[in-house]
Structures are given as structure tokens and as C-alpha cells.
Amino acid sequence: MTSTKGGDLIAEHLIREGMPYVFGICGHGNVGMLDALYDRKDRIRLVSPRHEQTAGHMADAYFRVSHQPVATLTSCGPGSANIPMSLACAQADSSAFLAITANVPTSQFNRGPFQETYMHGQASFPEALKPFVKRSFQPTRVEMLPLALRQATNLLTSGRPGPVNLDVPYDLFQESAEVALDPMDRAGIDNRPGAAPEAVSAVVDLLLAARAPLIFVGHGVTLSDAGAELTALQHRLQIPQVASPNGMGTLDMTDPLALGFIGRNGAYTANQAGRHADVLLTVGARFDDRSASSWRQGYSWNIPPTTLIHVDIDAGELGRNYEPAIGLQADARTFLRQLLAELDRRGIGRHEGTREWLARIAGWRAEWTAFIAPNFEIDTNPMRPERVVADIRQVAPDDAILVPDSGSHHNWFMQFWECRRPRSMLNTWGYSAMGFGVCGVLGAKLAAPERPCIAVVGDGGFTMAPHVLCTAIEYDIPAIWVVWNNYAWGAIRDLQHGQFGGREIGTSFTHGPNGEPYNPDFAALARAHGVSGVKVSRSDDFRDALREAVASGRPALIDLEVDPGVKPPSTGSWQLPPLPAPEPAFGAPWSPA
């Protein structure tokens, strides 16, 4: 057996696992790993953005598009201290990447060397990451690397996906040992867990007997690649669907059975269906506060009396917020295939028992359309938010990937975006990390170079990470940024106006004694980086600019002025105790007597 450096073992393992990229930033702590990557530039590519949080968001988005994990690489001390935000974002949305963090040499543990975290334990930086990773591994000898690498990589996508940390002391990259990588002979067998046959039969019984059944899907359906099975089940049983943001597109949202996002800023049709359903099949979704109207009875759900069937790969989510009549730990695709097989066994074709229910839903949809449609036709300067959504949908091809950042603009896309396929709308939902869209679009584009990738980002969010423009040029990544310019941290300013009587402080971007709106010229900033940049404020100009950006195949930024005075119509609720919860702007809560 030949003697191998630790850095070479890690690099070879990443290559063997099919990871085409490492997103990382240099530092004295990881220079040995960089040297190992240098020898393998033809097999694995280092992409080095200008901030470690950006590297993490890129890896997160890469996985969401490709379902192939990649690695990040950060140095000891402040370099790795910049990665927790993107780990938290990935963890909250069940996205996976291998975060390789460097640490101080083992011979210097607990001596307080340069950039050691040692106040409560030697080389204890991994303690800072534990809330945001499935596990942290810290091998202290080269001989320990093969096992740690195998276990860390397997853990990334087993069960509920999530990020994993491999913390590597400086000396392990450079030291050698007579050791080889553990064999990983995967036979390609799909070993996803399913439900017990009697449970599957009981679920089918409930669905067939229901007069107003509904399916609620989340990211678990997307992660399981279960869109085809979901679509087949819905068409066969004629059951409508509502979705959480990262479940959107698992059924083409132009399908009449797709009712849209449910919750605070959901579609009225979706919230009405949730309020009135008698049986609810929830697959891969967790009933967070924003998709459950803060669990206020009658605003998005009525559980009970609605009978809940809850299916999730993570047993910890079953019963977390609503007690299910049937709770099943199972993979989404495996379970949906089991339902279809049970229907085949019973000889059941297209089910017609939901006609009256679908007619009621059609009536709610007509009410909602009549309410919102006029605003999509208004062409103003600055633009109305609805028009922005409509214009992007008109210009972007069906296979485009939309990457919204956190902010007020995100609410509009939750409510009105029609997602045509899975993995084409990447949302920072659970942790709502500002900067995910700004940075993540780069990772999305590397994962799908043939598809247009458009990030819609707030002016506040973009100024947190404008250095993404450097990375786009350096690595020739033709991402598109639409900067939603409303001169504010708009979502929080709206809270101040709605809940605190307009006592606005720290939320608007202004300058001068009269408080004139202020932002940099984002288009000029883009051009200074070598990125195409234009500033627009009317619909015709915006559509033309976006068409040109999509067609150009180059990095592009559109600085778009949007009317900050137009608020999305709430059809659900969201409560931040002890503040009173606002009532819906359209529709009213409903609970059975």
C-alpha cells in the first residue's frame, strides 16, 4: 500500500463521489487541501467566490437543482466562521453539502494558536456548527480520514438530506499514511423506505371515501423526485393539490388541480381548499407557521375535524404541529408508488367522486381571479409587483430556474408564480437567509448550465453580497439578477407600518436632511464589474431587458424600480405573539360549526 497525503485522500474521495466542484476560499489553514486540488484540476474544479457564505449558498443551490452534493472548503478561524449562515439555510430546507472546515494543527490543540477556538474545548470550532449540520466529524489522524469521509458522505443524503461538517486539522492535509479509501460498492438499488401495506390500504380507503380530499406537498416530494408519481395519483383520483414553496412545481402549476401556495400570502383558492377539506394527505411538508397561518384554526387549515394523513421521511415532523390520524415515516416517491400500486390492485381507474368538490374550488378560483386580474394589466412607473411577476413569467422559458431571495418581493412570487416543473424555484424558506438568492443563483447555473437562471433579489439583500458579480465574471457564470429596488428593507418596513403605527426606523434607505430615497446605481455597479447592467422602471423596458439578458448568455443585472406602496393581498394569517394577527385582505377564515 502506498503512502498517501490526507489532502489527496479527500480530493480523491470527492472525485469518486461524483462531486464536480468545490466552492471554497483560501486560507493558511487549508492551503494543503488547495495543493491537492491543484493536481486534479482536470477532474474537480475549485470555484472561489469572495465570501464563505456565498460558497455555502452556491453549494446549497447546486444540490437543490442537481440532487448531487458538492463540497465547500473554508480555512480555520474567521473563514469557517462565515459558513454557519449558509449551513443553517441548507439545514432548514433539507439541502445537502459537505462543509470541509480547516482547523489548527493537532500538535497545537489547546495552546491557543492563531485562530483556534479553545475557550470551552480544544479545537472546538465544530461545536459552533452542530445546530446546523446532521453531524460534525473531526478526524485527528490521516488513518481516520477514510472512515470519516465515507460516513460523512453517506449521511448527506440518507433519510432527510442535510449538510454535514468534516473538520480537518491543518496537519492532516499534508501528513501521509499507508491508508486507502474505504470501498463504496453501491449497486444502484433504490432502498427508500415505504409504508406498511395495511397503512397504504387504510390511506386509500380514506381518500376514496372523502368528499373533499386535498393533497399538501412540500420539499420532500421534490427531493424524492416524485413529481411524476404525484401527478399520476392526482389525475387518477382527481384530488387537488396545495404546496409549500419548495414543493411548487411537483405538479405543473398550470394544471387545474394545482391550487398554489397555502398560508399567509398564499392563493385564496389554496387557503379555501385547506379550510374546507375533509381528508388531507400531506407528503413531505411540515406545517411551518407561514404555510399554516401560524396554526390559527380556520385560516389555512381546520385540523381537526379535517382528517390528517401525514407522510414524511423524518419521523420527527410527524405530529409536530398537527396530530395525524395516520402518521407514516416513508419516502415520498416510494409511498406514492405504493398508493398507485394499491389502486391497481383494486382495479380503480379514474375516480369521479370529487366532481362537486372541484366545482366549489373552481368557484373560489374565479372569485380570486376576478379580484387580482386587473392589477396585472396596470403599467406604472415604478412598476407594480404583480406586473413584475407576470413579465418574468412571460419572458422566462418553462425550464428557467427562479431563485428568489428573502424579502418582500418573495411574497409576490409565493402568491402568483406558476412553477412549471420541479427544482425550478429555489426558495430560502425555513431560515429565510437573505443572500441565498443573490449567491445561490451561481450554484444553480453551474448545476444547470443549459437553463436560464434568474435571481430576484431585494436591494437590501443584493448589497449584502454584491461581490457575486466578481465571481460571475471570473468563472464565466451567466446568471441573471433582477434587483427589486424599493429603497428599503421592505418586509420589515411593512411590519412597522402595519403593527407599530408607521413608527418607521432603520428600514428605509435615505440620505440628506429631507430623507430622499437612496440606493447606489446597481446597473452602473454591475457594469463596473464587467456585468451587463441596465436600469428600468416600466414594463415594456423590463421585458425587453430580460429577453436580452436571457438571450445573451452573459452575466446580467437589471435594476428594477418597484412601487413600495403596493402590498400583497393576504388571504391567510401570520402571527408574531404578542402582536395581534392581521386579518386577511381577501376572504375570511372559516371553521365548521
Side-chain angles (χ1 to χ4, degrees):
M1 185 180 295
T2 59
S3 183
T4 308
K5 286 184 177 181
D8 292 326
L9 282 170
I10 296 170
E12 285 298 326
H13 177 81
L14 300 181
I15 292 167
R16 190 175 72 173
E17 287 298 300
M19 299 188 188
Y21 294 102
V22 174
F23 301 134
I25 294 181
C26 65
H28 80 279
N30 62 19
V31 68
M33 186 66 220
L34 293 175
D35 192 64
L37 293 173
Y38 181 89
D39 290 332
R40 297 163 176 82
K41 289 186 289 187
D42 60 332
R43 292 188 289 157
I44 188 167
R45 187 183 186 196
L46 175 70
V47 175
S48 183
R50 300 300 180 94
H51 196 281
E52 289 84 358
Q53 184 176 337
T54 298
H57 288 322
M58 290 174 66
D60 178 356
Y62 188 97
F63 176 78
R64 297 187 196 214
V65 173
S66 69
H67 289 177
Q68 164 64 56
V70 291
T72 60
L73 177 65
T74 55
S75 190
C76 51
S80 291
N82 281 332
I83 202 75
M85 183 65 259
S86 44
L87 286 170
C89 178
Q91 183 268 341
D93 287 334
S94 306
S95 183
F97 66 90
L98 180 63
I100 303 173
T101 56
N103 214 318
V104 301
T106 55
S107 61
Q108 297 178 359
F109 275 16
N110 207 36
R111 301 190 71 172
F114 183 52
Q115 296 182 339
E116 182 187 19
T117 302
Y118 66 95
M119 191 65 67
H120 297 283
Q122 62 184 22
S124 60
F125 175 75
E127 294 293 324
L129 302 185
K130 282 186 177 179
F132 309 123
V133 296
K134 294 178 77 172
R135 184 168 173 181
S136 182
F137 296 84
Q138 190 186 59
T140 52
R141 297 173 56 190
V142 174
E143 290 88 347
M144 297 170 69
L145 277 169
L147 177 62
L149 287 165
R150 175 170 61 82
Q151 291 180 341
T153 305
N154 284 339
L155 191 57
L156 285 168
T157 54
S158 62
R160 181 176 180 172
V164 174
N165 171 228
L166 179 69
D167 189 70
V168 184
Y170 178 89
D171 45 314
L172 267 65
F173 293 126
Q174 287 288 80
E175 291 178 349
S176 300
E178 291 189 358
V179 64
L181 293 171
D182 285 358
M184 298 181 74
D185 185 16
R186 297 190 181 97
I189 298 172
D190 192 349
N191 192 30
R192 307 181 188 200
E198 58 270 24
V200 173
S201 180
V203 170
V204 170
D205 288 342
L206 283 172
L207 293 177
L208 292 177
R211 300 180 63 85
L214 186 65
I215 297 176
F216 175 37
V217 301
H219 201 194
V221 177
T222 304
L223 290 167
S224 186
D225 292 314
E229 289 78 6
L230 175 72
T231 301
L233 179 71
Q234 288 191 245
H235 286 172
R236 190 162 176 178
L237 296 185
Q238 288 296 286
I239 299 177
Q241 176 224 91
V242 296
S244 73
N246 287 317
M248 291 165 67
T250 50
L251 174 69
D252 185 335
M253 292 183 70
T254 62
D255 191 300
L257 294 175
L259 308 186
F261 169 56
I262 189 167
R264 177 187 67 165
N265 286 110
Y268 170 69
T269 315
N271 277 312
Q272 279 289 83
R275 295 162 184 153
H276 290 83
D278 61 357
V279 173
L280 175 65
L281 171 60
T282 298
V283 184
R286 60 186 184 87
F287 293 105
D288 67 281
D289 58 333
R290 291 190 291 168
S291 63
S293 289
S294 295
W295 312 289
R296 301 180 72 198
Q297 188 81 348
Y299 284 77
S300 289
W301 307 108
N302 280 303
I303 306 171
T306 300
T307 299
L308 173 61
I309 306 159
H310 196 174
V311 181
D312 203 284
I313 193 72
D314 183 354
E317 297 297 346
L318 303 177
R320 181 184 296 278
N321 289 306
Y322 294 112
E323 186 66 27
I326 300 177
L328 303 172
Q329 183 182 13
D331 168 75
R333 189 173 71 184
T334 301
F335 174 73
L336 291 171
R337 286 178 175 177
Q338 288 180 296
L339 290 184
L340 291 167
E342 176 64 12
L343 293 172
D344 288 341
R345 189 187 69 80
R346 298 188 187 191
I348 295 172
R350 183 183 171 100
H351 182 55
E352 301 292 346
T354 61
R355 284 185 177 180
E356 291 185 10
W357 171 231
L358 294 178
R360 292 179 70 192
I361 289 171
W364 295 328
R365 177 177 272 136
E367 291 178 51
W368 179 234
T369 301
F371 176 74
I372 63 174
N375 293 329
F376 283 87
E377 302 302 320
I378 300 173
D379 188 5
T380 59
N381 181 359
M383 286 184 66
R384 284 187 66 97
E386 304 99 323
R387 189 65 179 261
V388 178
V389 177
D391 285 351
I392 296 176
R393 182 67 279 175
Q394 179 181 335
V395 172
D398 288 346
D399 68 343
I401 297 172
L402 185 76
V403 193
D405 203 47
S406 177
S408 59
H409 59 280
H410 194 221
N411 295 328
W412 294 97
F413 284 89
M414 291 299 90
Q415 199 160 58
F416 296 124
W417 185 251
E418 288 186 340
C419 197
R420 303 300 306 276
R421 59 182 68 179
R423 304 195 229 171
S424 59
M425 185 182 189
L426 315 183
N427 301 280
T428 172
W429 187 245
Y431 222 70
S432 196
M434 194 165 283
F436 168 78
V438 183
C439 308
V441 69
L442 296 170
K445 186 63 177 177
L446 289 173
E450 74 289 352
R451 299 169 63 183
C453 293
I454 303 167
V456 182
V457 304
D459 42 6
F462 186 78
T463 49
M464 287 187 170
H467 45 78
V468 293
L469 301 172
C470 302
T471 306
I473 293 297
E474 287 180 82
Y475 295 93
D476 191 22
I477 307 174
I480 300 169
W481 291 270
V482 176
V483 179
W484 188 285
N485 191 343
N486 60 6
Y487 299 94
W489 306 109
I492 310 307
R493 182 176 61 185
D494 289 350
L495 278 177
Q496 290 177 336
H497 282 259
Q499 298 279 14
F500 293 90
R503 292 163 57 84
E504 182 183 321
I505 182 172
T507 50
S508 290
F509 306 145
T510 62
H511 75 107
N514 296 323
E516 295 296 321
Y518 166 76
N519 257 328
D521 185 333
F522 293 111
L525 181 66
R527 293 192 296 270
H529 285 76
V531 172
S532 171
V534 295
K535 187 177 182 68
V536 297
S537 58
R538 295 298 295 261
S539 178
D540 289 345
D541 297 331
F542 174 52
R543 287 198 304 271
D544 289 344
L546 186 58
R547 284 193 191 97
E548 184 175 339
V550 170
S552 72
R554 295 186 62 251
L557 181 146
I558 302 171
D559 183 353
L560 176 64
E561 292 204 352
V562 181
D563 188 342
V566 182
K567 317 299 183 202
S570 173
T571 63
S573 183
W574 191 44
Q575 187 170 25
L576 299 171
L579 297 175
E583 293 302 304
F586 185 84
W590 177 87
S591 292

